[in-house]
Structures are given as structure tokens and as C-alpha cells.
Amino acid sequence: MGTSNNSILQPSTLFLTGIPGLETWHAWISIPFCFLYFLAIIGNIVILIVIEREHSLREPMYLFLSMLAISELGISLSTVPTVLSVLLFDLREIKIDACLAQIFFIHCFSIMDSGVLLAMAFDRFVAIYNPLQYNLILTGPRIGLLGLVITMRSVLLMAPFPFLLKRLPFCKANVLAHSYCLHPDLIQLPCADTRINSFYGLFVVISTFGLDSFCIVLSYVMILKTVLSIASMEESHKALNTCVSHFSAVLIYYVPMISLSMMHRFGKHASPLVHILMANIYLSVPPVLNPIIYSIRTKQIRRGISRMLGLKRA
């Protein structure tokens, strides 16, 4: 009985995992990771600076894009310290409180990402369905209120997670499967009943990612219905063209997330390398690609970047 009780503890330290089987190559592997994080952080900061400096970009579409840049900047800054610490310096230890804080911020910014993508889908629908009332419907105060709702939803839904995890006793090896803390990863370690955590986690997933993705699909169904009712092929093509960047951002965000979720549930026998690769794609790729896509496809942002770099006169 004494042995059983001693095996149950609340560890003060957890251990992160790098790339299994490639530990001797971590220094080299860190180079592309550094490059990706550099692109993600600089790219989203540039988007924010351009939107703030260019008065012509104070439109609803670009205000939502600035929210997307903030949430993706938050994801990158939440993961970069532990990822590079593991790969560059082999510092795998992380305090339990720091791990819970990282879980909160990573998942909080991910939920914000999903909410902003939904708001951007609504923005595109209003712009195509009722262009004459576009600026009257999506006013500055309403956009600010929507941003506040998206933020508060993320914070309030994620706030219980650290407390629900903190109360659990641990009796298994306190080694995490990634180089950062994720809720599905940490929930595998406790030796107590984790059904409350699992049920609440499922509720959060359904009420955020599930509901958001359904509403985004519904928005695009209504957009397509509206576009097909436009008599002019040129106008139809122009309307759809305004959605390409956002649709690309939705695919870049949801495809890796769904793939990672499927791996967690049905790919438990797959190589740990595959799980780590999918998790890194989910957290690293969208913050890198979205600023690039919007910079390439949006003429106003290209002009703003050119002015900021002194390549074009204001």
C-alpha cells in the first residue's frame, strides 16, 4: 500500500521531447525551425504595421486580417521558446506551471484563430451579398466588439483547463510527446479519472472548432449561391476572387488540425515522428503562409509593404 501511494505524485517538472531518433541532428533541424519562426513573426508583424500605417486599409477585411495576424503571432511566440530550447540546447525540462501556462496560451490563440476565420467568412459574405451596406453593417465599433467577443470566448473556455489539470495526480512517466505542451498530450499522464477533463475538452472542441467550421462552410454555401445568381461572369469571377485568400487560410488552418486530431484518435500505432511532424505543421505552417498569401494576393498590402520599405513613393 505504501508503494502504491508513493508512486502517485504531482511532478514539479515535466520533460519535453525533440525529434525521436534524430537527437544528434537537433542542431541542424533547428535551422529550418528558426527560419519558419522568423518568417512567421516578421511576416505577421509586417502585416500589423502596414495595416496600422495605411489609412486605406482601415476597412473591415483588413481589420480582421490584423486580428488573424495577432492570434498567429501569439501561437508562434507561445511555442518558440520551448521548441528552440529543446533543439538548440537540449533543455527538455519544463516546470508544471510553465507547461500549464503554455497549454493555455497555445490553445487560447488557436481558438482565437478559428473565431477570426469565422468572422472573416462573415465579412466576405456581407461584402458579396450586400456590398452597398457593407460599411454600414461592419462598422468599427461592431468589429471591435466582435474582436472582444472572440478574445473573451477563447479566454473563458480555456481558463478551466489549467485548474482541471493541476488537481490530477501523476503516476506515469512525466515525458511529453512534443517539444511544447498540448492538452491531449498532458492528459495521457495522470493516473486518476480524467473523464471530466476529456468531456470538457470535447465540449470546447465542438463549441469552437466544430461550430466555427460548420458556420464557415455555411457561409461559403451562401456565398456560392449569391455568386451564381450574378448574371455577369466577370462580376462572378471578381466576387469569388476576393475569397481566395481567406479560403486558402481556412484550408491551411483546418486541414493540419483535422489531420492531427485524426492521428491522435486513430493513428496511435503510427511512428511518433509522424505525430510530431503533424503537430509542428499545425502550429508552424499557418502563421508562416497566411502573411505570404495575403501579401501576394492583396494589392493594397503589397503597396503598403513597398512604401514601408521605401520602394515606392507614398
Side-chain angles (χ1 to χ4, degrees), residues 49-268:
I49 292 174
V50 168
I51 293 175
E52 193 278 329
R53 289 180 58 176
E54 296 290 323
H55 292 286
S56 62
L57 298 182
R58 302 294 173 82
E59 297 180 9
M61 172 183 171
Y62 302 109
L63 295 178
F64 286 126
L65 179 57
S66 66
M67 294 181 195
L68 185 67
I70 290 171
S71 62
E72 294 189 337
L73 194 59
I75 292 175
S76 296
L77 293 176
S78 298
T79 58
V80 65
T82 54
V83 172
L84 296 187
S85 293
V86 171
L87 295 179
L88 283 173
F89 308 108
D90 196 32
L91 299 176
R92 298 176 56 238
E93 294 185 9
I94 183 171
K95 297 297 183 181
I96 183 69
D97 291 334
C99 185
L100 294 176
Q102 189 176 47
I103 286 175
F104 173 82
F105 284 111
I106 289 177
H107 291 291
C108 189
F109 283 117
S110 295
I111 294 172
M112 284 179 61
D113 236 14
S114 179
V116 173
L117 288 173
L118 173 58
M120 295 175 80
F122 177 70
D123 166 77
R124 291 300 83 208
F125 169 69
V126 173
I128 293 173
Y129 181 76
N130 197 354
L132 297 179
Q133 300 293 319
Y134 176 64
N135 288 315
L136 296 177
I137 295 173
L138 292 173
T139 61
R142 287 177 180 171
I143 294 172
L145 179 61
L146 189 55
L148 180 62
V149 169
I150 291 171
T151 303
M152 291 304 298
R153 181 186 75 157
S154 306
V155 172
L156 292 176
L157 285 175
M158 281 307 304
F161 273 104
F163 301 101
L164 290 173
L165 289 167
K166 185 78 171 178
R167 68 183 178 85
L168 296 173
F170 289 71
C171 60
K172 299 180 183 178
N174 52 344
V175 179
L176 301 171
H178 302 93
S179 49
Y180 38 77
C181 297
L182 295 176
H183 180 262
D185 194 5
L186 190 60
I187 200 66
Q188 304 297 322
L189 301 183
C191 56
D193 187 354
T194 59
R195 282 181 294 180
I196 293 177
N197 299 67
S198 298
F199 288 147
Y200 184 71
L202 181 61
F203 165 74
V204 170
V205 169
I206 292 174
S207 62
T208 55
F209 303 115
L211 181 61
D212 292 351
S213 58
F214 173 78
C215 291
I216 289 172
V217 171
L218 183 62
S219 296
Y220 270 97
V221 169
M222 297 173 72
I223 286 172
L224 284 174
K225 184 179 178 181
T226 303
V227 168
L228 291 175
S229 66
I230 300 175
S232 171
M233 287 294 294
E234 183 179 349
E235 290 297 322
S236 298
H237 181 267
K238 184 178 179 180
L240 282 177
N241 196 46
T242 64
C243 300
V244 172
S245 297
H246 174 258
F247 188 70
S248 301
V250 170
L251 290 180
I252 290 169
Y253 179 78
Y254 276 102
V255 170
M257 185 188 72
I258 293 172
S259 301
L260 179 61
S261 179
M262 297 291 285
M263 286 294 299
H264 274 300
R265 285 160 177 76
F266 305 110
K268 294 182 178 180

Side-chain angles (χ1 to χ4, degrees), residues 39 41-57 62 65 69 288-314:
L39 286 180
I41 293 171
I42 296 300
N44 285 291
I45 288 176
V46 166
I47 291 291
L48 289 172
I49 292 174
V50 168
I51 293 175
E52 193 278 329
R53 289 180 58 176
E54 296 290 323
H55 292 286
S56 62
L57 298 182
Y62 302 109
L65 179 57
V288 172
L289 291 185
N290 284 334
I292 295 174
I293 290 172
Y294 275 95
S295 298
I296 292 174
R297 291 199 52 84
T298 309
K299 185 185 298 182
Q300 293 89 333
I301 292 179
R302 288 203 307 271
R303 288 176 179 170
I305 293 174
S306 296
R307 290 193 185 99
M308 188 178 70
L309 297 177
L311 302 177
K312 182 182 288 189
R313 293 180 181 176

Side-chain angles (χ1 to χ4, degrees), residues 261-283:
S261 179
M262 297 291 285
M263 286 294 299
H264 274 300
R265 285 160 177 76
F266 305 110
K268 294 182 178 180
H269 299 293
S271 168
L273 191 61
V274 177
H275 286 270
I276 290 173
L277 179 63
M278 290 304 304
N280 284 320
I281 289 174
Y282 165 56
L283 291 176

